[in-house]
Amino acid sequence: MESDATGWVDVERGLVSREAFVSDEVYQLEIERIFNRSWIYLGHETEIPNVGDYVVRNLGNAPVIVVRDTPESVKVLLNSCRHRGAKLCRADAGNTRNFVCPFHGWAYEIDGALRTTGFDHHFREDTDFSTMGLVPAPNVESFYGLIFASWDEAALPLRDYLGDIGWYLETFFNRTPGGMEVLAPPHRWRSKANWKIGSLNFIGDSQHSPTTHIGPSTLDSARTIRDGFRKHGQDSFHVVTDEGHGCTLTYLAPGMPEKNYHTHSETLKPLYDKSLSPDQSSMLHHLRVCVGTVFPNMSFIESQVGAGEKALIVRLWHPVSGTEMEVLSWVFAEKEADQGYKDRVLRNGFHNFGAAGVFEQDDMVLWESATAASNNPIAQQYPYSFQTALPYFDTPDENHKWQGRAHRPADTEIAQFWFMQRWDALMRTNESKSDE
Amino acid sequence: MSESAERSPVDIDDYVTIQRFLYAEMALLDRRAYQEWFALLTDDIHYRVTTVSARPAQDETSRFAIIDEDAQTLKMRVDQISDPNLTHAENPPTLTQRLVSNVEAYYGERNGVFETTSSILLYANRSGSPKTGLYGGERQDVLIRNSSGIKIAERTVNLAQTILPDSTLSLLL
Ligand code: FES
Ligand SMILES: [Fe+2]
């Protein structure tokens, strides 16, 4: 597909071509122009605490091993032997001292260097084995334990790429001295839906909640939060930041008397005040829900639904094709929290948002239906509407105190259209940043 | 179960009673009589469904829960899929057939308590979709018999699955 063949996003009219949400050609171009150039979230350092621990993930559509090769460092290696391509690791996770290919026996160190082919004596004498290690991702960085990698040699430093959304991530992942830890292996499921629907949903699709989630918002599981909003009113807004990131924050209406760090463990509250800046703690003090997306396909949500503890969840929308994604979902809690609290956060978290989540189950069938119904030329004559972004798109909230650009009202598609515009800009670039 | 050698298998009358119960209970779910099914659980039910994170064969299996409910949270799940106005996942309803077999039953430590294992295969076809989800696994139950009949006090469904094949799971097993 040629670079001038875009025009998927109509900025003037707030429309996006349906082709962008189903086409396998678009998917291939996304891999090339977005997934192989951006920083992609792969997992959390607490999943691989010890040297030799590894998890198997995808960087773009390339299978990779994320391995702790020394106590201080993590490597991301293409999970494909340099000889004839077999996978070094065929499990989801494990611990190893080295990677030995099961096909013909090439052996690699855990940092990926080739130790021996087993047949070194049959190679020509001038063979440079030092160039024949497992292919490493050139850029791997961790942001408060969140491991990101990029295939792009010339990628911006991760902190610059995250920019202002980093301030919000830091508030969630660095609010105690010990930081956050993953509580269980990620839930995984395959959905016949385009990956961008997930990213858009989490960056700020407030409009879907009352209808998609009529179940949990009618039943007890969302009672506390619903009743609070009914009684006191709610204050909700989008935050968008450079590179296409964003989030939606929801509070009770201003002036409502509320406990600081509502529903968080009492033992953790003093630690928050120690770790967070004054602005960050005031952001977190009365927060009810924060849901956001780090471009392109990592999302997060901290939400209090039901009477239980808030759960912090990270989500990966891994693209499989134009019409399918694999979803990974992790639940986090503070390292310092006691086990009982962690257990409750985990259960509460995946009761709502997980492979059998009472929210997720209704999301998924509707996302799948949108993907299925859009995958035909008749439907593709009629673009998706993001029109409720338009009246507000150029008028950010000037009183916003924190990082990023805030927009109201939140029951609009401002953040989603922000994401689509960044997507469009990247899809139009033919050259990678390194060639600019 | 590793300790099964020491436990005594139930006699044939109890075995038939338990088997009938397990069949009837699954028939309720296939008929979408979710509230009737819920009435067969004790007030302190612990209901879990687990999947696997694949590990090398020499390592221990890594199982983790995707559903872990007490009576209160399980009731929400049941209420949601019971009410056509409150569910999209189950409206139109998934067409299902649950197969239960390989039932083993032992007397528990207390009188009237049975520990059972059984195999479950859930065939699930979303209406209007050519796709069929298959969910297979082993169930471990603790059943309690009193004057009013048998109730389920604990259920763990260990699915033989790492990635759920057909989106998220809105059904019960
Ligand atoms: S493919 Fe790995 S040793 Fe041959
Ligand atoms: Fe949702």
Side-chain angles (χ1 to χ4, degrees):
Chain A
M1 198 177 267
E2 278 310 303
S3 62
D4 57 354
T6 54
W8 289 298
V9 176
D10 183 336
V11 174
E12 295 300 308
R13 295 191 297 158
L15 304 174
V16 181
S17 152
R18 292 183 184 225
E19 198 194 5
F21 288 86
V22 289
S23 153
D24 284 334
E25 286 179 335
V26 170
Y27 158 77
Q28 292 296 348
L29 207 59
E30 286 175 335
I31 294 295
E32 185 187 310
R33 296 189 181 170
I34 294 177
F35 286 90
N36 289 351
R37 292 182 192 173
S38 305
W39 283 97
I40 304 295
Y41 178 69
L42 292 176
H44 194 263
E45 290 201 36
T46 56
E47 293 181 271
I48 46 171
N50 303 309
V51 172
D53 286 351
Y54 65 87
V55 290
V56 169
R57 299 276 147 82
N58 291 284
L59 182 51
N61 60 356
V64 292
I65 306 165
V66 183
V67 58
R68 183 170 293 281
D69 62 327
T70 75
E72 287 80 38
S73 62
V74 169
K75 286 254 180 336
V76 173
L77 306 167
L78 187 68
N79 188 11
S80 183
C81 182
R82 287 293 298 274
H83 178 218
R84 302 285 184 83
K87 285 186 176 177
L88 284 307
C89 300
R90 290 176 302 133
D92 298 328
N95 177 283
T96 190
R97 266 183 305 223
N98 46 49
F99 298 111
V100 179
C101 181
F103 201 170
H104 314 90
W106 284 31
Y108 304 86
E109 311 290 350
I110 51 170
D111 64 1
L114 180 65
R115 180 192 288 172
T116 172
T117 66
F119 303 93
D120 291 0
H121 53 289
H122 291 317
F123 283 74
R124 278 171 46 159
E125 259 171 33
D126 58 353
T127 305
D128 183 0
F129 293 106
S130 74
T131 63
M132 292 160 62
L134 295 174
V135 179
N139 281 296
V140 182
E141 282 187 52
S142 165
F143 189 78
Y144 303 111
L146 303 162
I147 301 166
F148 290 81
S150 172
W151 287 124
D152 185 0
E153 306 258 1
L156 293 170
L158 178 61
R159 275 181 180 272
D160 296 348
Y161 176 80
L162 293 173
D164 284 342
I165 200 74
W167 185 86
Y168 295 87
L169 286 177
E170 187 183 352
T171 308
F172 293 109
F173 289 90
N174 191 45
R175 61 195 179 192
T176 65
M180 302 299 278
E181 70 177 15
V182 168
L183 298 178
H187 287 195
R188 288 167 79 189
W189 66 93
R190 287 264 175 144
S191 272
K192 284 278 189 192
N194 184 270
W195 67 274
K196 291 188 289 300
I197 307 178
S199 293
L200 291 168
N201 189 268
F202 272 60
I203 202 170
D205 187 358
S206 311
Q207 294 176 350
H208 91 291
S209 307
T211 41
T212 296
H213 301 306
I214 175 99
S217 42
T218 304
L219 297 164
D220 283 359
S221 52
R223 186 191 54 207
T224 317
I225 196 161
R226 181 201 62 205
D227 289 353
F229 290 155
R230 274 213 188 124
K231 194 157 144 216
H232 302 298
Q234 75 183 70
D235 179 38
S236 190
F237 52 92
H238 298 295
V239 172
V240 295
T241 77
D242 289 352
E243 306 285 339
H245 317 307
C247 59
T248 302
L249 298 147
T250 300
Y251 297 84
L252 289 186
M256 280 303 125
E258 252 202 303
K259 257 179 29 182
N260 284 350
Y261 305 127
H262 191 80
T263 83
H264 288 274
S265 159
E266 286 300 327
T267 58
L268 297 172
K269 292 179 183 179
L271 300 178
Y272 292 169
D273 286 326
K274 216 158 53 183
S275 296
L276 297 175
S277 74
D279 272 353
Q280 286 173 323
S281 46
S282 72
M283 188 274 267
L284 195 61
H285 264 157
H286 296 148
L287 181 67
R288 284 307 178 100
V289 186
C290 177
V291 54
T293 291
V294 175
F295 190 93
N297 67 331
M298 172 201 170
S299 293
F300 58 97
I301 178 169
E302 183 160 74
S303 166
Q304 187 230 341
V305 289
E309 284 77 7
K310 272 185 181 165
L312 178 61
I313 285 159
V314 169
R315 183 59 56 78
L316 199 59
W317 318 103
H318 168 62
V320 173
S321 72
T323 54
E324 185 170 13
M325 64 173 149
E326 184 177 319
V327 187
L328 279 78
S329 186
W330 298 258
V331 186
F332 288 79
E334 293 80 355
K335 266 193 194 140
E336 292 90 341
D338 61 75
Q339 194 56 46
Y341 179 79
K342 287 177 185 173
D343 292 346
R344 292 194 301 279
V345 166
L346 178 62
R347 285 186 54 213
N348 222 12
F350 66 68
H351 170 81
N352 293 304
F353 307 102
V358 297
F359 282 79
E360 235 87 43
Q361 56 182 253
D362 291 328
D363 280 318
M364 292 303 145
V365 289
L366 301 180
W367 300 1
E368 290 191 340
S369 84
T371 301
S374 300
N375 198 9
N376 65 82
I378 299 295
Q380 283 166 27
Q381 294 170 27
Y382 303 91
Y384 286 166
S385 164
F386 290 70
Q387 286 157 287
T388 65
L390 294 185
Y392 313 96
F393 204 76
D394 299 322
T395 49
D397 176 0
E398 275 157 16
N399 299 318
H400 179 59
K401 309 184 281 287
W402 306 320
Q403 262 65 356
R405 226 173 75 182
H407 277 278
R408 292 163 201 274
D411 59 347
T412 62
E413 292 156 301
I414 298 164
Q416 296 185 74
F417 204 48
W418 175 262
F419 178 98
M420 287 312 308
Q421 290 193 14
R422 178 63 188 160
W423 176 89
D424 194 49
L426 289 177
M427 290 292 275
R428 286 166 185 274
T429 51
N430 207 1
E431 308 303 316
S432 77
K433 284 199 199 89
S434 47
D435 304 331
E436 270 168 19
Chain B
M1 275 181 190
S2 54
E3 71 271 35
S4 61
E6 303 135 37
R7 295 178 301 171
S8 51
V10 299
D11 66 30
I12 191 71
D13 286 349
D14 284 337
Y15 185 82
V16 171
T17 306
I18 288 166
Q19 205 177 31
R20 277 189 180 145
F21 173 81
L22 293 175
Y23 290 171
E25 174 230 336
M26 285 297 97
L28 287 177
L29 290 181
D30 282 334
R31 295 207 323 262
R32 296 187 283 119
Y34 298 122
Q35 301 292 354
E36 275 177 70
W37 177 81
F38 188 77
L40 297 176
L41 313 178
T42 61
D43 293 342
D44 60 350
I45 176 73
H46 188 188
Y47 178 90
R48 298 173 78 238
V49 178
T50 71
T51 59
V52 170
S53 166
R55 296 296 149 97
Q58 57 273 26
D59 294 4
E60 255 176 64
T61 310
S62 168
R63 279 207 168 271
F64 57 94
I66 60 165
I67 299 181
D68 187 349
E69 312 284 34
D70 58 20
Q72 193 205 343
T73 54
L74 186 54
K75 181 73 163 71
M76 291 174 201
R77 200 174 273 285
V78 164
D79 286 349
Q80 186 169 339
I81 58 173
S82 300
D83 185 338
N85 295 314
L86 299 185
T87 178
H88 303 291
E90 292 305 319
N91 187 7
T94 307
L95 306 175
T96 63
Q97 190 66 53
R98 291 166 175 83
L99 305 182
V100 182
S101 76
N102 305 31
V103 177
E104 294 184 78
Y106 301 89
Y107 291 111
E109 285 187 356
R110 281 184 297 122
N111 215 3
V113 175
F114 305 115
E115 294 170 6
T116 72
T117 61
S118 54
S119 298
I120 176 94
L121 190 64
L122 164 58
Y123 166 101
N125 183 239
R126 288 192 196 275
S127 295
S129 160
K131 241 186 344 173
T132 294
L134 278 180
Y135 303 84
E138 185 204 56
R139 293 189 313 186
Q140 300 170 349
D141 293 342
V142 175
L143 307 178
I144 294 182
R145 178 166 57 189
N146 60 26
S147 51
S148 59
I150 295 181
K151 288 204 164 185
I152 305 169
E154 274 177 48
R155 168 159 291 169
T156 301
V157 186
N158 291 321
L159 291 178
Q161 233 118 22
T162 57
I163 308 177
L164 292 189
D166 184 19
S167 203
T168 48
L169 184 62
S170 48
L171 295 164
L172 300 157
L173 310 108

